Amino acid sequence: MSHRLVVVGAGYAGLLAAKRLARKLRHSDVTVTLVNASDRFVERVRLHQLAAGQRWAAPSLRQQLSGTPVQLVVARVTAIDTTGRTVCTDGAPGAIGYDTLVYALGSRARLDEVPGAAEHAYTVADLEQAARLRYRIAEIASAGTVAVVGGGLTGLETASELAESYPGLRVRLFTGADDVGSGLAPRARAHLRRALERLGVSVHPKTVVATVREDGLDTRDGTSYDADAVVWTTGFRAPELARAAGFATDESGRMIVDTTLRSVSHPEVYAVGDAAAAVSVSGAPSRMSCQSALPMGRGVADVLAARLAGREPGPVRIGYAFTNISLGRRDGVVQFTHADDRPRRFVLTGRAAAVFKEAVVRSTVGSGPRGDAGSDGSGS
Ligand SMILES: Cc1cc2nc3c(=O)[nH]c(=O)nc-3n(C[C@H](O)[C@H](O)[C@H](O)COP(=O)(O)OP(=O)(O)OC[C@H]3O[C@@H](n4cnc5c(N)ncnc54)[C@H](O)[C@@H]3O)c2cc1C
């Protein structure tokens, strides 16, 4: 019987892993099956653009996989049975057996941090959520107020994109930090501040949001702000599936893996991308980003090809080169970093940074040949 290799999740990490595995194992007795909730490759790094009313082509996964022997199953994974070595799905086929599993289900918004966020806040963490926000923003664009909570990269990109696309929209950005862009070099931080000011985004530093309401939010110091939409961008956590299945996970639900991306609790299972807590070159856990997901997708394919051929692979290197922030379509900041993610002095700003970021986004796995359908989040 052939060896059944199943990859769950066709984002940046899972799609790259499946394609590379199929290429490396094409002359072997291994079948590669890729399971994903949708038949499209969702470029998550563009979801703030979707929320701001832009359209882009969402590549078809079948097109991405054409010419490869990868079998695509479009279904939502509901559970993993580690005893029976089976992935359970909500629709057909219902159950998919595996000999080796690659877990690549990405991440979602942290909506359980304060009361009211899960009920009332919008997010840009997945296609459905970003599409919901897009429709709400279209309703309030001419004179409404949007409150973006979180001063990290997603919050900065979302606030800037909305402000640039809709000059009539009042955009407030709330962060518990002293300033925006902590961790960036001073020149990058100064550019961020100037760009937000130019776009008319009001920044509320040192302001911790305590509650989200249907019509606004309350801060920990007792101040209330009205808003027609609250967007929650304080960070991501991995799906509950890994923890529920009994894998060793960290506090964010990420599967803990060794330097070859193998689960420390279940040796027949590997994890990649946002859903994996791997060790980066600094020794710190991998950062949720494409810069971690892509080397992990490549790396897991190399590791498995070696192990299935009876060779012991070396460690997968997860290092960083830059932090890339878009500030609308015509501005941005690129903070170049050491491999261990510490900022270098070299920073790119303005239009050059916007062009650099767009080139990086296009070069990622899903943005090769364009897909055959437009995406406005409606599935049309
Ligand atoms: C708005 C935004 C902007 C970002 N900008 C940047 C940036 O500029 N640079 C950067 O490096 N990173 C950025 N990120 C982070 C980056 O998108 C993630 O780190 C990256 O997508 C992780 O890739 P992944 O393959 O692990 O997961 P994902 O890309 O999330 O893919 C996971 C896949 O699993 C599927 N899936 C999930 N659950 C199930 C299930 N139960 N059953 C079946 N399929 C399932 C999903 O549909 C998806 O196809 C941004 C994220 C967001 C939201």
Side-chain angles (χ1 to χ4, degrees):
M1 190 174 147
S2 61
H3 186 98
R4 297 161 306 166
L5 209 159
V6 175
V7 180
V8 290
Y12 296 93
L15 178 57
L16 180 56
K19 283 164 86 169
R20 193 169 169 96
L21 277 162
R23 185 164 59 75
K24 291 201 150 226
L25 299 170
R26 64 189 176 283
H27 300 305
S28 68
D29 193 19
V30 178
T31 58
V32 180
T33 303
L34 178 60
V35 187
N36 197 60
S38 121
D39 64 353
R40 299 267 148 198
F41 175 77
V42 174
E43 288 182 273
R44 273 182 90 197
V45 302
R46 291 196 191 275
L47 288 178
H48 57 299
Q49 294 176 238
L50 178 78
Q54 297 161 30
R55 290 174 65 88
W56 78 92
S60 137
L61 282 176
R62 288 202 169 78
Q63 201 176 32
Q64 288 280 319
L65 295 169
S66 73
T68 77
V70 176
Q71 296 165 21
L72 176 67
V73 174
V74 178
R76 181 162 286 280
V77 177
T78 52
I80 297 167
D81 169 7
T82 54
T83 311
R85 297 200 177 173
T86 303
V87 170
C88 308
T89 61
D90 61 352
I96 303 167
Y98 65 84
D99 298 301
T100 301
L101 178 69
V102 178
Y103 183 80
L105 294 182
S107 61
R108 52 204 55 190
R110 288 180 174 264
L111 283 171
D112 55 355
E113 291 183 309
V114 303
E119 294 86 342
H120 305 302
Y122 293 80
T123 84
V124 289
D126 61 48
L127 184 65
E128 293 72 26
Q129 288 283 333
R132 226 182 110 233
L133 176 59
R134 173 192 177 94
Y135 293 120
R136 179 64 180 149
I137 295 291
E139 285 171 355
I140 64 173
S142 56
T145 298
V146 60
V148 177
V149 184
L153 307 188
T154 310
L156 290 167
E157 292 195 325
T158 303
S160 310
E161 204 77 42
L162 292 174
E164 183 183 86
S165 295
Y166 297 107
L169 187 67
R170 177 164 194 192
V171 182
R172 293 181 183 276
L173 178 69
F174 293 85
T175 171
D178 296 355
D179 193 6
V180 287
S182 56
L184 303 182
R187 194 161 84 78
R189 275 212 303 277
H191 185 84
L192 273 181
R193 269 186 243 114
R194 278 197 303 275
L196 293 171
E197 203 177 315
R198 171 179 60 76
L199 290 164
V201 176
S202 326
V203 179
H204 299 258
K206 296 186 201 164
T207 309
V208 179
V209 173
T211 318
V212 178
R213 293 178 275 105
E214 194 180 356
D215 55 357
L217 55 81
D218 306 317
T219 65
R220 200 183 276 170
D221 68 5
T223 314
S224 295
Y225 293 88
D226 290 340
D228 302 294
V230 175
V231 188
W232 200 257
T233 72
T234 57
F236 300 108
R237 70 165 71 254
E240 282 304 311
L241 274 169
R243 205 189 321 252
F247 295 107
T249 53
D250 71 3
E251 71 291 347
S252 297
R254 303 200 289 174
M255 194 183 288
I256 301 173
V257 293
D258 66 15
T259 55
T260 66
L261 306 177
R262 189 178 217 170
S263 159
V264 295
S265 59
H266 293 71
E268 69 287 2
V269 178
Y270 293 71
V272 289
D274 283 5
V279 184
S280 68
V281 293
S282 66
S286 48
R287 162 159 69 86
M288 288 190 187
S289 67
C290 292
Q291 277 191 74
S292 306
L294 294 171
M296 286 197 226
R298 266 193 302 275
V300 81
D302 297 348
V303 162
L304 285 170
R307 285 217 167 107
L308 288 166
R311 284 180 279 111
E312 196 41 37
V316 175
R317 186 177 188 280
I318 304 162
Y320 303 95
F322 47 77
T323 297
N324 221 342
I325 308 168
S326 62
L327 299 167
R329 293 300 86 207
R330 296 181 288 279
D331 196 359
V333 170
V334 182
Q335 168 70 68
F336 291 89
T337 62
H338 297 275
D340 62 6
D341 224 12
R342 275 178 306 117
R344 291 180 188 271
R345 286 203 356 236
F346 185 47
V347 169
L348 204 60
T349 57
R351 193 172 284 272
V355 170
F356 180 93
K357 169 139 196 189
E358 181 58 27
V360 170
V361 169
R362 280 173 191 256
S363 72
T364 57
V365 64
S367 304
R370 306 307 293 173
D372 54 9
S375 175
D376 60 1
S378 63
S380 61

